[in-house]
Amino acid sequence: MNTHWGGGRVWCSLRGTSADKNFGSRSLGNQAFKMASRKRKIQDEVEVNENRPKNTPEKKTKKEKWTNKQRVLVFCGRGITHRARHLMLDLRTLLPHHKADTKLDRKDKLFIINEVCEMKNCNSCIYLEMRKRKDLFMWFSFAPHGPSAKFLVENVHTMDELKMTGNCLKGSRPILSFDQHFDKKPETQLLKEMFIQIFSTPNYHPKSKPFIDHIMTFSKLDDDRIWVRNFQIVEEDGTLLEIGPRFVLNLVRIFEGSFGGPTLYENPHYQSPNEHRRLIRREAAHKYLDRVESKQSLEVRREANKDIPRDEEDVDDIFHTITQSDIDKARANSKKTIQK
């Protein structure tokens, strides 16, 4: 049934025009041609399988070999600075199995990230958030059941900022190197396993390259901070050149759930940035108070010393300048004493 508009009237045609009939016949012909081509492909595949020997193994494609479906969601919240944004882009460059997303609004709760991971088909997440445009925090989480860890990021140096001579192939798989301190305590063992699952590129990933030409080091020092650095493997003898980025992770807490839940571990040596700035201001205030107190004590001593009586002759002897006449008098007196 076709509806036509013309002359201010509406009239319907049930049969259709000749052009419509020709169009229908063409579409039917195209469908028949497609079905015939599909049948030919199926017959060709059957003939190839019949002619193939039984013992010959089938070649697996790259997608069939790709069994580890680890995907990492790397994104940030609103209000981050340019340095934090460049660090996020560097992490995306190092992780070919990453997924990106738009910035998270400040008003949204962190539990929403679990839903974003589910929509993006990601089972882990790296989330960067900024507080007061000064303090950068980084979350490592496994969605949706956890665990998750919150770090304070310090001493951030990006690839473009460092201008190092090292370089590596984009998408190549890294070697993850961990310090011996990661095997001593249960909380560090948990962090090591989290870093391995997040930063290790899955084998035969479609976006990865079959090369291993750089190494990521995670070093834990005595101050309970984790130093993360990226190096290029220049030669087989172990010569390294730093590529970047370079940053320090200060552990805050480890949670049982994803972006929350019961606390599994809390760093006793952690000091919040607000507390650190408060102590710096207090030290500066103490210096000012010390100067004021020293001035007041000096004035008090001066007032107390005004009433002390002094002998003018003693003062004259102290500030008297010895002349040649004084020397001659002293010699004459010494001769008289010798003659006597």
Side-chain angles (χ1 to χ4, degrees):
M1 179 176 177
N2 298 328
T3 305
H4 301 274
W5 296 80
R9 297 179 181 178
V10 180
W11 56 279
C12 300
S13 61
L14 298 176
R15 294 182 179 180
T17 59
S18 60
D20 296 335
K21 294 179 181 179
N22 294 331
F23 178 76
S25 61
R26 290 176 185 174
S27 61
L28 291 174
N30 293 333
Q31 291 179 1
F33 178 75
K34 290 180 181 179
M35 292 177 66
S37 61
R38 289 177 184 174
K39 289 182 180 179
R40 290 174 186 172
K41 288 182 180 179
I42 294 171
Q43 291 176 359
D44 294 339
E45 290 178 357
V46 171
E47 291 178 358
V48 170
N49 293 329
E50 290 178 354
N51 296 328
R52 180 184 298 170
K54 296 182 179 180
N55 297 327
T56 56
E58 296 182 358
K59 292 184 178 180
K60 293 184 178 180
T61 60
K62 191 173 183 180
K63 290 185 178 180
E64 292 177 353
K65 293 180 181 179
W66 177 36
T67 57
N68 183 9
K69 304 295 183 179
Q70 180 78 20
R71 296 182 182 88
V72 184
L73 178 64
V74 183
F75 75 121
C76 62
R78 295 194 179 276
I80 64 171
T81 58
H82 65 284
R83 188 184 297 273
R85 186 177 70 254
H86 291 170
L87 176 62
M88 180 188 66
L89 296 177
D90 291 344
L91 291 176
R92 289 179 179 176
T93 305
L94 293 175
L95 303 176
H97 58 290
H98 80 275
K99 289 291 186 69
D101 195 64
T102 57
K103 294 180 180 179
L104 187 69
D105 196 0
R106 291 181 179 179
K107 297 180 181 179
D108 296 336
K109 301 294 183 180
L110 295 180
F111 295 102
I112 300 177
I113 300 177
N114 296 326
E115 299 178 1
V116 178
C117 292
E118 185 178 357
M119 290 187 294
K120 292 287 184 178
N121 197 15
C122 297
N123 47 13
S124 58
C125 176
I126 299 177
Y127 175 68
L128 286 81
E129 63 174 343
M130 182 73 72
R131 301 285 180 84
K132 297 182 178 180
R133 297 189 64 86
K134 296 179 182 179
D135 310 323
L136 178 62
F137 292 91
M138 185 180 294
W139 285 83
F140 295 92
S141 177
F142 288 90
H145 303 295
S148 59
K150 183 180 180 181
F151 294 90
L152 173 66
V153 186
E154 301 172 344
N155 300 331
V156 178
H157 299 283
T158 59
M159 290 185 186
D160 297 334
E161 180 185 0
L162 289 175
K163 295 182 180 178
M164 295 292 182
T165 57
N167 195 4
C168 65
L169 183 65
K170 185 177 181 180
S172 60
R173 303 180 66 203
I175 296 176
L176 303 181
S177 174
F178 292 90
D179 193 5
Q180 59 182 355
H181 295 286
F182 281 92
D183 298 329
K184 293 182 178 180
K185 297 180 181 179
E187 61 270 11
T188 54
Q189 293 176 1
L190 177 60
L191 293 177
K192 178 181 178 180
E193 186 63 28
M194 292 176 66
F195 291 149
I196 289 174
Q197 295 189 23
I198 290 176
F199 286 98
S200 60
T201 303
N203 195 12
Y204 294 105
H205 191 275
K207 293 183 180 180
S208 65
K209 304 295 188 301
F211 300 102
I212 298 176
D213 56 355
H214 68 285
I215 178 171
M216 291 189 68
T217 62
F218 298 86
S219 304
K220 188 175 183 297
L221 302 181
D222 296 334
D223 56 353
D224 290 337
R225 285 177 170 82
I226 301 173
W227 294 70
V228 183
R229 303 177 74 177
N230 185 27
F231 296 92
Q232 175 194 359
I233 303 174
V234 182
E235 296 179 0
E236 295 181 357
D237 58 353
T239 306
L240 301 176
L241 290 177
E242 188 169 2
I243 305 171
R246 179 199 302 171
F247 55 94
V248 180
L249 297 176
N250 189 3
L251 178 62
V252 181
R253 283 188 183 184
I254 300 176
F255 299 94
E256 183 179 357
S258 179
F259 296 99
T263 301
L264 297 179
Y265 176 77
E266 184 177 0
N267 187 7
H269 305 287
Y270 171 73
Q271 187 180 55
S272 65
N274 293 331
E275 183 68 18
H276 181 66
R277 287 190 288 266
R278 189 179 68 84
L279 293 176
I280 292 175
R281 290 194 297 268
R282 179 186 290 180
E283 291 179 359
H286 282 317
K287 291 181 180 179
Y288 173 74
L289 293 175
D290 292 339
R291 289 198 302 269
V292 172
E293 289 178 358
S294 63
K295 288 182 180 180
Q296 292 177 354
S297 62
L298 179 60
E299 292 178 358
V300 170
R301 289 197 303 272
R302 286 177 178 176
E303 292 292 334
N305 293 332
K306 284 182 179 180
D307 300 334
I308 298 175
R310 295 180 180 178
D311 191 0
E312 295 181 357
E313 295 180 356
D314 296 337
V315 176
D316 293 337
D317 293 338
I318 293 172
F319 294 99
H320 178 68
T321 303
I322 299 174
T323 59
Q324 187 65 33
S325 60
D326 296 333
I327 296 172
D328 296 338
K329 288 180 181 180
R331 288 178 179 176
N333 293 329
S334 62
K335 288 180 180 180
K336 290 179 180 179
T337 54
I338 291 170
Q339 291 177 359
K340 291 180 179 180

